[in-house]
Amino acid sequence: MEGISYAGRRRRYFALMAACLVLFVGAWAVVRHWSVPVAIGMCVVAAALPPIATVVANRRGPEDRWWDEEP
């Protein structure tokens, strides 16, 4: 299994965080006019994205060097 590069992890992190921002802003700027429960649901999903983005950004591949390994 080939690991994801640092740049790839960074792109995925920023994509997830952008989705989080779009969900929050969209929920309260647009969706709440039609359905408050849907807007709240969007915010719940958006609140779950930052921890997921952090896990994705910190995932290392098998070939990546860890902090406690010898060079």
Side-chain angles (χ1 to χ4, degrees), residues 14-38:
F14 283 116
L16 284 168
M17 293 307 287
C20 177
L21 185 62
V22 167
L23 282 170
F24 270 126
V25 172
W28 296 113
V30 178
V31 177
R32 73 176 169 94
H33 297 294
W34 290 283
S35 176
V36 171
V38 172

Side-chain angles (χ1 to χ4, degrees), residues 24-71:
F24 270 126
V25 172
W28 296 113
V30 178
V31 177
R32 73 176 169 94
H33 297 294
W34 290 283
S35 176
V36 171
V38 172
I40 292 170
M42 288 172 67
C43 285
V44 168
V45 171
L49 287 180
I52 294 169
T54 303
V55 169
V56 167
N58 289 314
R59 182 178 298 153
R60 303 282 188 225
E63 72 281 349
D64 289 339
R65 188 171 168 268
W66 292 89
W67 66 275
D68 61 342
E69 291 180 350
E70 293 295 322

